[in-house]
Amino acid sequence: MNLQQFRYVQEAVRRGLNLTEAAKALHTSQPGVSKAILDLEDELGVPIFERHGKRLRRITEPGQQIVRTIDAILLQVGNLRRIGAHYTGQHAGKLSIATTHTQARYFLPGPVAQLRQLYPQVQVELHQGTPDQVARMLMDESAVVGLATESLLGHEGLISLPCYEWHHVIVVPEGHPLASLARIGIDDLALHPLVTYHPTVTGRSRIDNAFAKARLHPEVALEALDSDVIKTYVRVGLGVGIVAEMAMREGSEGLVAIPAGHLFGPSVSRMAFRRGVQLREFEMRFAQLLSPLLTDSLLQRALHGEPDNYEL
Amino acid sequence: MNLQQFRYVQEAVRRGLNLTEAAKALHTSQPGVSKAILDLEDELGVPIFERHGKRLRRITEPGQQIVRTIDAILLQVGNLRRIGAHYTGQHAGKLSIATTHTQARYFLPGPVAQLRQLYPQVQVELHQGTPDQVARMLMDESAVVGLATESLLGHEGLISLPCYEWHHVIVVPEGHPLASLARIGIDDLALHPLVTYHPTVTGRSRIDNAFAKARLHPEVALEALDSDVIKTYVRVGLGVGIVAEMAMREGSEGLVAIPAGHLFGPSVSRMAFRRGVQLREFEMRFAQLLSPLLTDSLLQRALHGEPDNYEL
DNA sequence: TATCCTTACGGAATTCGTAAGCATG
DNA sequence: CATGCTTACGAATTCCGTAAGGATA
């Protein structure tokens, strides 16, 4: 039994039981992967994969447990490296952040710049995706920190902590009739075609809920993953935009932002980590830049302690 | 980085940072152990052990974390084997039980015999010791199941589940004045020299508490780890014995047992496991023989879930 | 001086890549 | 017949034991 075998099994599972793919991903030969896995199965006395002739078809029942256990082992092995890096005072390294467009564009520039000031040697790597992709990137360790508004909660295997609260705003071109209303109601809004986020991102669910609660079914003219795209289409008159307030801080010439917190309520952006992961020094500092009230000890407790929603 | 290095580090810690001892325990050469550990330290970039010249003096701060992580890894590696053994339907193997004398002598014979009937191939190995030793044996995996009355609770890293409740009894030779009393009070008892358990075992603390509460300070003529020893000394007239009721079920000729539940209250014997350990089929069955209300799923939850005192 | 860790070195075992074989879809 | 897993085999590497060196208590 050895760590290499574990890596091969893990990668095989991640690549959909395709050993050829797994071998490629791990920069090794396919027969080597095959042999290692067979050896492990032999040693444990049970097959991990169910084979149909010579292809892997699915994971056996004991295989499920074995894969879970292997994941846990490799997470800890990764932690050993991280402990080393932490104590060598490595102020160099790569910080991989998985996040959504809105966060990457409008919120992260500040914290990232501050981090680079503290640790000039740290290389920042941004992975953009939907919140679900963010969660997946954390789980397979392509990223260490995740940042998003939705769907990070409820992921077993991830822990998440609140970063900041924000509200939606309504975006219209200058001179639009809605811009002159004293106070916009949900029904005023429902009269116009809407341009807003794709259902998977950035608090879209709060928008849907608000309309559903008022029994309104507004026309959604366009859905986008991206605040800038939304603003662009509002500018050309496609409809009324609803975006996160952060998205209006810049590049909003010719547009008017109208507060809409009273319509959709507050949203909370959260950072997330894989549960049980060991953070390096600069990763901890970065977490604190994302959420200044966060202490090292609270962070440690959250990462290694009980599953819970940690509120500050 | 490899599993062998982890085993060497773990054993080195267990043997008080003596690599020579660790090598012996692992049936390998001392230089091999030394080299492997140095290699690991080199790879992680931090020393695990603080060296004074050429001896290991203590564990460094990062070393503490590394050792903890290594323990977790090796526990899971052990679990892989156990998963294999579980699914190969291995009805053979060794069941290592760590327990105290009273349990081994008076309670375990039943469950052990039943287990052997269910799994005739299973070899049972009994490790006897004080409750603290029981806990230690579970932690370093010389035993899988522990059974004792005290001090298994409050051990971080162990989970324990109740098995059965019992009471103390007073033991006197036939014809002893106490034997004719209608109801014995704690003050009656305090008039006689006592023969009972050593402070570390089998509910001795409940005995001490009862006397302390009544502000009595009886003379303790003899303390023993062993109910049979106590009975022997009672027989020769050394004093009045206090033992667990189970200990009077046999081999009590010439002695009288007087119920003393009203004096010392109930005691609960508990089984214990190392937290996170994967049990084999016959180990689970054995746990159920110890505590018939225990279900597989409750057991799984207890072993892998939240730290908690699981009461049935 | 006895204990105990590190370094040095050589043989043995393991690992890993290439080539060939064979089953599936 | 293209994809994809397994088997076979040989070279390179790693592992691990013995022997020697050096530091502490």
Side-chain angles (χ1 to χ4, degrees), chain B residues 42-66:
Chain B
D42 189 50
E43 183 168 354
L44 295 181
V46 288
I48 299 172
F49 301 109
E50 195 179 304
R51 287 163 174 82
H52 209 247
K54 286 206 170 184
R55 354 212 120 181
L56 308 195
R57 185 155 282 263
R58 54 178 181 176
I59 307 179
T60 62
E61 193 193 323
Q64 305 272 1
Q65 289 191 43
I66 290 170

mmCIF file of all heavy atoms in Angstrom, chain B residues 42-66:
data_model
loop_
_atom_site.group_PDB
_atom_site.id
_atom_site.type_symbol
_atom_site.label_atom_id
_atom_site.label_comp_id
_atom_site.label_asym_id
_atom_site.label_seq_id
_atom_site.Cartn_x
_atom_site.Cartn_y
_atom_site.Cartn_z
ATOM 1 N N ASP B 42 13.219 16.809 5.522
ATOM 2 C CA ASP B 42 13.791 17.538 4.411
ATOM 3 C C ASP B 42 12.713 17.908 3.402
ATOM 4 O O ASP B 42 12.625 19.042 2.941
ATOM 5 C CB ASP B 42 14.868 16.663 3.757
ATOM 6 C CG ASP B 42 15.653 17.447 2.734
ATOM 7 O OD1 ASP B 42 16.110 18.549 3.083
ATOM 8 O OD2 ASP B 42 15.781 16.967 1.599
ATOM 9 N N GLU B 43 11.866 16.953 3.093
ATOM 10 C CA GLU B 43 10.841 17.205 2.091
ATOM 11 C C GLU B 43 9.830 18.249 2.569
ATOM 12 O O GLU B 43 9.396 19.099 1.792
ATOM 13 C CB GLU B 43 10.121 15.896 1.741
ATOM 14 C CG GLU B 43 9.079 16.093 0.644
ATOM 15 C CD GLU B 43 8.557 14.780 0.085
ATOM 16 O OE1 GLU B 43 9.083 13.713 0.471
ATOM 17 O OE2 GLU B 43 7.627 14.828 -0.739
ATOM 18 N N LEU B 44 9.480 18.172 3.846
ATOM 19 C CA LEU B 44 8.504 19.131 4.360
ATOM 20 C C LEU B 44 9.146 20.487 4.634
ATOM 21 O O LEU B 44 8.464 21.496 4.756
ATOM 22 C CB LEU B 44 7.858 18.593 5.644
ATOM 23 C CG LEU B 44 7.018 17.330 5.464
ATOM 24 C CD1 LEU B 44 6.404 16.905 6.786
ATOM 25 C CD2 LEU B 44 5.923 17.559 4.428
ATOM 26 N N GLY B 45 10.461 20.481 4.775
ATOM 27 C CA GLY B 45 11.148 21.750 4.966
ATOM 28 C C GLY B 45 11.224 22.212 6.408
ATOM 29 O O GLY B 45 11.736 23.294 6.682
ATOM 30 N N VAL B 46 10.675 21.417 7.320
ATOM 31 C CA VAL B 46 10.749 21.776 8.740
ATOM 32 C C VAL B 46 11.186 20.566 9.550
ATOM 33 O O VAL B 46 10.855 19.438 9.209
ATOM 34 C CB VAL B 46 9.388 22.250 9.298
ATOM 35 C CG1 VAL B 46 9.033 23.612 8.784
ATOM 36 C CG2 VAL B 46 8.291 21.254 8.979
ATOM 37 N N PRO B 47 11.953 20.790 10.627
ATOM 38 C CA PRO B 47 12.291 19.672 11.500
ATOM 39 C C PRO B 47 11.069 19.243 12.299
ATOM 40 O O PRO B 47 10.291 20.077 12.760
ATOM 41 C CB PRO B 47 13.359 20.250 12.426
ATOM 42 C CG PRO B 47 13.117 21.722 12.418
ATOM 43 C CD PRO B 47 12.546 22.060 11.068
ATOM 44 N N ILE B 48 10.904 17.942 12.434
ATOM 45 C CA ILE B 48 9.821 17.421 13.268
ATOM 46 C C ILE B 48 10.334 17.308 14.696
ATOM 47 O O ILE B 48 9.617 17.555 15.650
ATOM 48 C CB ILE B 48 9.368 16.038 12.751
ATOM 49 C CG1 ILE B 48 8.852 16.174 11.323
ATOM 50 C CG2 ILE B 48 8.296 15.440 13.653
ATOM 51 C CD1 ILE B 48 8.550 14.848 10.646
ATOM 52 N N PHE B 49 11.610 16.926 14.818
ATOM 53 C CA PHE B 49 12.207 16.752 16.138
ATOM 54 C C PHE B 49 13.309 17.769 16.371
ATOM 55 O O PHE B 49 14.030 18.141 15.450
ATOM 56 C CB PHE B 49 12.774 15.338 16.271
ATOM 57 C CG PHE B 49 11.735 14.275 16.091
ATOM 58 C CD1 PHE B 49 11.729 13.476 14.951
ATOM 59 C CD2 PHE B 49 10.748 14.087 17.035
ATOM 60 C CE1 PHE B 49 10.761 12.498 14.776
ATOM 61 C CE2 PHE B 49 9.773 13.111 16.867
ATOM 62 C CZ PHE B 49 9.782 12.319 15.730
ATOM 63 N N GLU B 50 13.392 18.197 17.605
ATOM 64 C CA GLU B 50 14.466 19.098 17.992
ATOM 65 C C GLU B 50 15.631 18.224 18.412
ATOM 66 O O GLU B 50 15.480 17.343 19.261
ATOM 67 C CB GLU B 50 13.982 19.949 19.165
ATOM 68 C CG GLU B 50 14.818 21.154 19.448
ATOM 69 C CD GLU B 50 14.214 21.920 20.608
ATOM 70 O OE1 GLU B 50 13.016 22.285 20.507
ATOM 71 O OE2 GLU B 50 14.913 22.107 21.617
ATOM 72 N N ARG B 51 16.788 18.431 17.819
ATOM 73 C CA ARG B 51 17.944 17.579 18.100
ATOM 74 C C ARG B 51 18.951 18.309 18.972
ATOM 75 O O ARG B 51 19.217 19.492 18.774
ATOM 76 C CB ARG B 51 18.592 17.135 16.795
ATOM 77 C CG ARG B 51 17.766 16.103 16.057
ATOM 78 C CD ARG B 51 18.200 15.986 14.617
ATOM 79 N NE ARG B 51 17.514 14.905 13.925
ATOM 80 C CZ ARG B 51 16.299 14.985 13.408
ATOM 81 N NH1 ARG B 51 15.615 16.107 13.510
ATOM 82 N NH2 ARG B 51 15.743 13.956 12.805
ATOM 83 N N HIS B 52 19.481 17.566 19.918
ATOM 84 C CA HIS B 52 20.543 18.093 20.761
ATOM 85 C C HIS B 52 21.769 17.289 20.399
ATOM 86 O O HIS B 52 21.901 16.145 20.845
ATOM 87 C CB HIS B 52 20.183 17.917 22.238
ATOM 88 C CG HIS B 52 20.787 18.960 23.114
ATOM 89 N ND1 HIS B 52 21.751 18.692 24.052
ATOM 90 C CD2 HIS B 52 20.556 20.293 23.163
ATOM 91 C CE1 HIS B 52 22.089 19.825 24.650
ATOM 92 N NE2 HIS B 52 21.384 20.807 24.157
ATOM 93 N N GLY B 53 22.642 17.846 19.589
ATOM 94 C CA GLY B 53 23.736 17.050 19.084
ATOM 95 C C GLY B 53 23.159 15.968 18.203
ATOM 96 O O GLY B 53 22.566 16.278 17.179
ATOM 97 N N LYS B 54 23.273 14.733 18.665
ATOM 98 C CA LYS B 54 22.737 13.655 17.841
ATOM 99 C C LYS B 54 21.587 12.909 18.503
ATOM 100 O O LYS B 54 21.270 11.793 18.114
ATOM 101 C CB LYS B 54 23.871 12.672 17.489
ATOM 102 C CG LYS B 54 24.813 13.221 16.449
ATOM 103 C CD LYS B 54 25.489 12.117 15.683
ATOM 104 C CE LYS B 54 26.230 12.704 14.486
ATOM 105 N NZ LYS B 54 26.829 11.651 13.666
ATOM 106 N N ARG B 55 20.997 13.503 19.554
ATOM 107 C CA ARG B 55 19.806 12.834 20.057
ATOM 108 C C ARG B 55 18.567 13.696 19.858
ATOM 109 O O ARG B 55 18.662 14.914 19.805
ATOM 110 C CB ARG B 55 19.891 12.467 21.542
ATOM 111 C CG ARG B 55 21.145 12.696 22.234
ATOM 112 C CD ARG B 55 21.344 11.656 23.326
ATOM 113 N NE ARG B 55 22.555 10.900 23.079
ATOM 114 C CZ ARG B 55 22.981 9.915 23.848
ATOM 115 N NH1 ARG B 55 22.289 9.553 24.904
ATOM 116 N NH2 ARG B 55 24.084 9.284 23.559
ATOM 117 N N LEU B 56 17.461 13.016 19.822
ATOM 118 C CA LEU B 56 16.201 13.732 19.680
ATOM 119 C C LEU B 56 15.764 14.179 21.057
ATOM 120 O O LEU B 56 15.702 13.365 21.992
ATOM 121 C CB LEU B 56 15.125 12.816 19.089
ATOM 122 C CG LEU B 56 15.504 12.087 17.807
ATOM 123 C CD1 LEU B 56 14.267 11.520 17.150
ATOM 124 C CD2 LEU B 56 16.212 13.008 16.854
ATOM 125 N N ARG B 57 15.493 15.476 21.186
ATOM 126 C CA ARG B 57 15.172 15.993 22.506
ATOM 127 C C ARG B 57 13.670 16.161 22.677
ATOM 128 O O ARG B 57 13.098 15.720 23.654
ATOM 129 C CB ARG B 57 15.893 17.319 22.710
ATOM 130 C CG ARG B 57 15.736 17.906 24.086
ATOM 131 C CD ARG B 57 16.883 18.820 24.402
ATOM 132 N NE ARG B 57 18.067 18.050 24.779
ATOM 133 C CZ ARG B 57 18.419 17.818 26.041
ATOM 134 N NH1 ARG B 57 17.685 18.287 27.027
ATOM 135 N NH2 ARG B 57 19.498 17.129 26.319
ATOM 136 N N ARG B 58 13.054 16.804 21.725
ATOM 137 C CA ARG B 58 11.589 16.919 21.812
ATOM 138 C C ARG B 58 10.990 17.225 20.441
ATOM 139 O O ARG B 58 11.721 17.377 19.467
ATOM 140 C CB ARG B 58 11.199 18.000 22.821
ATOM 141 C CG ARG B 58 11.848 19.335 22.541
ATOM 142 C CD ARG B 58 11.366 20.359 23.550
ATOM 143 N NE ARG B 58 11.966 21.669 23.282
ATOM 144 C CZ ARG B 58 11.672 22.753 23.960
ATOM 145 N NH1 ARG B 58 10.820 22.694 24.952
ATOM 146 N NH2 ARG B 58 12.243 23.904 23.649
ATOM 147 N N ILE B 59 9.682 17.332 20.438
ATOM 148 C CA ILE B 59 8.982 17.564 19.178
ATOM 149 C C ILE B 59 8.866 19.065 18.956
ATOM 150 O O ILE B 59 8.497 19.799 19.873
ATOM 151 C CB ILE B 59 7.582 16.921 19.222
ATOM 152 C CG1 ILE B 59 7.708 15.446 19.626
ATOM 153 C CG2 ILE B 59 6.886 17.043 17.882
ATOM 154 C CD1 ILE B 59 6.386 14.725 19.715
ATOM 155 N N THR B 60 9.198 19.502 17.771
ATOM 156 C CA THR B 60 9.082 20.923 17.476
ATOM 157 C C THR B 60 7.612 21.317 17.352
ATOM 158 O O THR B 60 6.731 20.462 17.326
ATOM 159 C CB THR B 60 9.770 21.260 16.140
ATOM 160 O OG1 THR B 60 9.091 20.546 15.102
ATOM 161 C CG2 THR B 60 11.230 20.860 16.158
ATOM 162 N N GLU B 61 7.370 22.615 17.243
ATOM 163 C CA GLU B 61 5.988 23.068 17.123
ATOM 164 C C GLU B 61 5.356 22.559 15.822
ATOM 165 O O GLU B 61 4.280 21.954 15.868
ATOM 166 C CB GLU B 61 5.936 24.591 17.211
ATOM 167 C CG GLU B 61 4.523 25.109 17.417
ATOM 168 C CD GLU B 61 4.455 26.600 17.189
ATOM 169 O OE1 GLU B 61 5.417 27.309 17.552
ATOM 170 O OE2 GLU B 61 3.443 27.054 16.614
ATOM 171 N N PRO B 62 5.992 22.782 14.690
ATOM 172 C CA PRO B 62 5.389 22.173 13.491
ATOM 173 C C PRO B 62 5.323 20.651 13.614
ATOM 174 O O PRO B 62 4.381 20.028 13.108
ATOM 175 C CB PRO B 62 6.323 22.582 12.364
ATOM 176 C CG PRO B 62 7.571 23.046 13.013
ATOM 177 C CD PRO B 62 7.187 23.553 14.356
ATOM 178 N N GLY B 63 6.293 20.086 14.318
ATOM 179 C CA GLY B 63 6.291 18.641 14.525
ATOM 180 C C GLY B 63 5.011 18.178 15.197
ATOM 181 O O GLY B 63 4.459 17.136 14.849
ATOM 182 N N GLN B 64 4.531 18.934 16.166
ATOM 183 C CA GLN B 64 3.286 18.577 16.846
ATOM 184 C C GLN B 64 2.166 18.415 15.837
ATOM 185 O O GLN B 64 1.416 17.433 15.859
ATOM 186 C CB GLN B 64 2.868 19.682 17.833
ATOM 187 C CG GLN B 64 3.919 20.067 18.851
ATOM 188 C CD GLN B 64 3.864 19.215 20.107
ATOM 189 O OE1 GLN B 64 3.032 18.308 20.188
ATOM 190 N NE2 GLN B 64 4.739 19.476 21.052
ATOM 191 N N GLN B 65 2.051 19.401 14.973
ATOM 192 C CA GLN B 65 0.980 19.349 13.974
ATOM 193 C C GLN B 65 1.194 18.203 13.015
ATOM 194 O O GLN B 65 0.248 17.526 12.611
ATOM 195 C CB GLN B 65 0.944 20.653 13.185
ATOM 196 C CG GLN B 65 0.449 21.829 13.981
ATOM 197 C CD GLN B 65 0.174 23.010 13.075
ATOM 198 O OE1 GLN B 65 -0.391 22.857 11.998
ATOM 199 N NE2 GLN B 65 0.584 24.192 13.488
ATOM 200 N N ILE B 66 2.461 18.001 12.638
ATOM 201 C CA ILE B 66 2.766 16.929 11.688
ATOM 202 C C ILE B 66 2.415 15.581 12.301
ATOM 203 O O ILE B 66 1.796 14.732 11.654
ATOM 204 C CB ILE B 66 4.250 17.003 11.278
ATOM 205 C CG1 ILE B 66 4.472 18.235 10.406
ATOM 206 C CG2 ILE B 66 4.677 15.735 10.547
ATOM 207 C CD1 ILE B 66 5.918 18.562 10.135
#
